[in-house]
Amino acid sequence: MISYRIVNELPASLSEIAGGKNAGRPFLVLSDRGGRTLSFGEFYARSLGLAGRLESLWIRRGDRLLAVLPNSAEYALLFFACLHLGAAVVPVNPALHPRDIRFILENAAAKLLVHAPETSGLLDGSSIPRWNLPLLDDPLYGESWTPRPGVSRDGILTIVFTSGTTAFPKAVAHKVGSLLGNARLFNQAVGLAPEDRFLQLFSMAYSGGFFNLLISPFLAGASVVMSPGYGPRALLDFWTVPRAHGVNALWLTPTVAAALLMANRDEAGRAWCRENVRKAFIGTAPLHAKLKRDFEAAHGIRLLESYGLSETLLVCTETPGAGSAGGSVGCALPGVELSVRDEAGRELPQGGEGEIFIKTPHMMAGYLDFQKNAPVPADDAGWLASGDIGRLDSGRLSITGRKKDLIIRAGLCVSPMAVESVLLEHPAVAQAAVVGVENALSGEEIVAVIKPKAGVDWARAKADLESFCKTRFAAGSRPAVLLAREEFPVGSTGKVLKKELRAWAAAEASR
C-alpha cells in the first residue's frame, strides 16, 4: 500500500493509520447489515478502489461531487475517495425541502451527482451527469489504484450548505488541513483512543456526521457502528444496537438527549449505559442545565459539552479530566482565540456578556461566492462573529443565548435561553422554547411555548406555571403568554426552528 502524507501536522498518513496494527482492527460495524465489519485496512483499500473509479469518470483534483445519499458505508467511502483525489464533496441531506435541494443543485457547480436508488428522484430537472453509487460488494471497490501525488492540505474537501437564517442556504467550504487538523486536536483534548467505539446517529450530510463520527474516529484509530439512524422507532429501542455491537462512546445533541429522556423507558438499557459507556459528548445546540442534570442522573454518565460552528469546526470542549463548571462548554482548543465584545465591538473584561468572536487556524476557507464560484473569507482579520452570546470566565466559555433570538422588551434585552432554563425546572414541562412576538406597546412580548410532560392536564398545569413564573421572574423578563404544543418544529440537524415557532406563536397569541 502506498504511503503518502496529506497534512504535515498529522503524526501519520492515512495509509499508516489504516495499516500496521490497525489493518485488521474494525473501523465500521454495519448494524443494519448483520453486523458486517470493515477493518481499517479494508476500508482504506476500498476507498482507493472507489477513487480509481471516480477518476475514470473524469473526476480530477478541484472538482466537486454533489452527494445526495442516506447514511451508509458507501457514503463514508466516498468522503475518503474524494480525499485521495483532491476532489470536494458537497453533501446534501435528502430530507431537505425540494426548494433547498434545487438551490444547491443550481449553485454547487458540481461535476457529478452521486445518488442512491432511493434518492435519484430528488435530482429531477438537473442536467449534471449522475452516478448511482454502487453497493459495497461491487467489484470496483476491490480495484487497485495508487493515490496521486500532490494532494494539498489547502485543497477543499467539503462544501456544506447550511440552513442558517437567510432566505437561502450559505455554502461553507473547508480545506483538508482544517478538517484533519481540527479533528486531531479534538481527539487529543478528549483522549479519543482505539478502544472507543461510537454510534453513528447524525446525518452524514452535515459535519456532525462526517466530521465528528467519521474523520475524527478514523484519525484516533477508533471504530464506528453505523445505525439505521435517529427517529421515533429508533428512540424507543435505542439501546439495542449499542448493546449488540459494544458501543462505549456517544455523540448526542440536546434534542436527542431530551427525546431519550422522555421517550425511552428502557431501564435495562440505562443500566447498561451506566456500566459500559465511557465517553459521551454533546453539542450542535445549547444544552439546558436541567436537561444535562436529568440525563446524567438517569444514565450515569457525564455529558462533555463542546462548542463550534459550521464555519469554525470545534473551538471549545470540556475534557474528561477537568471538573465541570455549570453552563460551560469548556476551554478553547490549542490555537483558538476567543473574544467577547459589546455592541460597539469593544472587548469585554472577564465575565462580561456579549457576542462571541472566534479566530481559529481551522477557519473555513470561506463562504462560496456563487457568482465567482470560489470561497470568500468572511473577515480579512481572521475573526468570525459567531452570532452567539456568552461570557468568558478563567478561560471557560459559557453560551447564554443567540443574538438573533434576543427579545427586546421595553428596551430590556431578554435571553430566551435563560427563560427556558427556568421554565424547565417546573415538573409539568418537558420542553420549552421562548420567542419574541411583536407588541405595539413593548416592542416585543415574551411568549413561552411549552411541551407538557405525558399525562399532564394542561389547563391545571398552566395555572400553576403562571404562579411559578411570578415567583421566578422579574416583571420585565416574565413570559406574558404560555402556549402548549405537542411537538416543536425542528430542522434536519435537530435544532428547534424558532422562526417557524415564532410565526405560530404570534398567530396563537392573537386569538
Side-chain angles (χ1 to χ4, degrees), residues 192-394:
L192 285 198
E195 296 75 27
D196 295 322
R197 175 166 290 186
F198 286 89
L199 178 67
Q200 170 61 282
L201 280 176
F202 301 156
S203 168
M204 290 170 62
Y206 300 104
S207 59
F210 69 76
F211 178 79
N212 299 27
L213 287 167
L214 179 64
I215 294 174
S216 174
F218 184 91
L219 296 183
S223 54
V224 179
V225 175
M226 302 290 290
S227 70
Y230 164 73
R233 190 178 186 85
L235 270 177
L236 294 173
D237 197 27
F238 181 84
W239 294 108
T240 297
V241 170
R243 279 186 288 193
H245 300 289
V247 168
N248 59 21
L250 297 173
W251 254 111
L252 302 173
T253 68
T255 301
V256 172
L260 275 176
L261 203 56
M262 290 185 288
N264 189 289
R265 301 298 179 186
D266 181 358
E267 292 302 330
R270 291 182 178 183
W272 181 89
C273 175
R274 285 191 288 272
E275 295 172 4
N276 294 279
V277 175
R278 304 186 305 180
K279 294 186 178 82
F281 306 101
I282 190 162
T284 75
L287 176 65
H288 291 292
K290 185 174 188 299
L291 173 57
K292 183 176 183 179
R293 289 196 307 270
D294 290 350
F295 190 92
E296 289 178 338
H299 295 85
I301 55 176
R302 179 186 171 194
L303 293 177
L304 297 174
E305 291 193 66
S306 63
Y307 172 67
L309 305 172
S310 299
E311 294 88 344
T312 64
L313 303 176
L314 290 168
V315 297
C316 287
T317 186
E318 289 189 295
T319 56
S324 180
S328 167
V329 293
C331 297
L333 293 172
V336 174
E337 297 178 55
L338 301 173
S339 173
V340 177
R341 305 179 186 180
D342 63 17
E343 291 186 1
R346 296 181 293 255
E347 188 164 22
L348 294 169
Q350 286 285 311
E353 190 172 286
E355 185 173 5
I356 301 163
F357 282 71
I358 302 166
K359 190 174 186 178
T360 172
H362 307 124
M363 186 71 73
M364 64 176 176
Y367 294 115
L368 196 64
D369 184 312
F370 300 131
Q371 301 302 317
K372 298 178 180 178
N373 193 28
V376 177
D379 182 346
D380 291 337
W383 287 95
L384 181 81
S386 70
D388 290 318
I389 305 298
R391 61 176 180 271
L392 278 167
D393 293 290
S394 302

Side-chain angles (χ1 to χ4, degrees), residues 30-319:
L30 313 183
S31 69
D32 56 345
R33 301 187 191 182
R36 178 178 178 177
T37 298
L38 292 182
S39 68
F40 276 85
E42 185 181 3
F43 178 85
Y44 183 82
R46 285 173 178 269
S47 70
L48 290 177
L50 179 55
R53 181 57 59 91
L54 290 172
E55 187 178 62
S56 73
L57 295 173
W58 295 100
I59 300 301
R60 299 291 185 267
R61 187 187 313 164
D63 287 340
R64 298 173 191 166
L65 279 73
L66 198 146
V68 188
L69 297 162
N71 279 14
S72 63
E74 292 85 355
Y75 202 175
L77 287 163
L78 182 67
F79 276 99
F80 276 70
C82 287
L83 182 54
H84 298 317
L85 285 167
V89 184
V90 185
V92 181
N93 188 346
L96 285 176
H97 191 282
R99 175 196 63 237
D100 291 330
I101 293 178
R102 284 196 302 273
F103 179 84
I104 297 171
L105 290 176
E106 292 168 0
N107 290 281
K111 191 172 182 179
L112 184 68
L113 301 183
V114 184
H115 63 90
E118 61 266 39
T119 61
S120 62
L122 301 172
L123 308 176
D124 291 346
S126 174
S127 60
I128 305 172
R130 304 185 190 185
W131 189 50
N132 183 16
L133 186 60
L135 293 176
L136 203 53
D137 290 322
D138 189 285
L140 80 84
Y141 292 105
E143 294 174 1
S144 177
W145 185 81
T146 301
R148 299 297 176 243
V151 173
S152 169
R153 68 184 301 276
D154 291 322
I156 301 299
L157 177 57
T158 62
I159 300 175
V160 178
F161 282 72
T162 65
S163 53
T165 57
T166 55
F168 291 103
K170 289 182 177 180
V172 177
H174 268 291
K175 297 178 180 179
V176 170
S178 294
L179 288 160
L180 302 190
N182 188 250
R184 179 176 64 88
L185 282 180
F186 176 78
N187 290 353
Q188 290 174 347
V190 300
L192 285 198
E195 296 75 27
D196 295 322
R197 175 166 290 186
F198 286 89
L199 178 67
Q200 170 61 282
L201 280 176
F202 301 156
S203 168
M204 290 170 62
Y206 300 104
S207 59
F210 69 76
F211 178 79
N212 299 27
L213 287 167
L214 179 64
I215 294 174
S216 174
F218 184 91
L219 296 183
S223 54
V224 179
V225 175
M226 302 290 290
S227 70
Y230 164 73
R233 190 178 186 85
L235 270 177
L236 294 173
D237 197 27
F238 181 84
W239 294 108
T240 297
V241 170
R243 279 186 288 193
H245 300 289
V247 168
N248 59 21
L250 297 173
W251 254 111
L252 302 173
T253 68
T255 301
V256 172
L260 275 176
L261 203 56
M262 290 185 288
N264 189 289
R265 301 298 179 186
D266 181 358
E267 292 302 330
R270 291 182 178 183
W272 181 89
C273 175
R274 285 191 288 272
E275 295 172 4
N276 294 279
V277 175
R278 304 186 305 180
K279 294 186 178 82
F281 306 101
I282 190 162
T284 75
L287 176 65
H288 291 292
K290 185 174 188 299
L291 173 57
K292 183 176 183 179
R293 289 196 307 270
D294 290 350
F295 190 92
E296 289 178 338
H299 295 85
I301 55 176
R302 179 186 171 194
L303 293 177
L304 297 174
E305 291 193 66
S306 63
Y307 172 67
L309 305 172
S310 299
E311 294 88 344
T312 64
L313 303 176
L314 290 168
V315 297
C316 287
T317 186
E318 289 189 295
T319 56

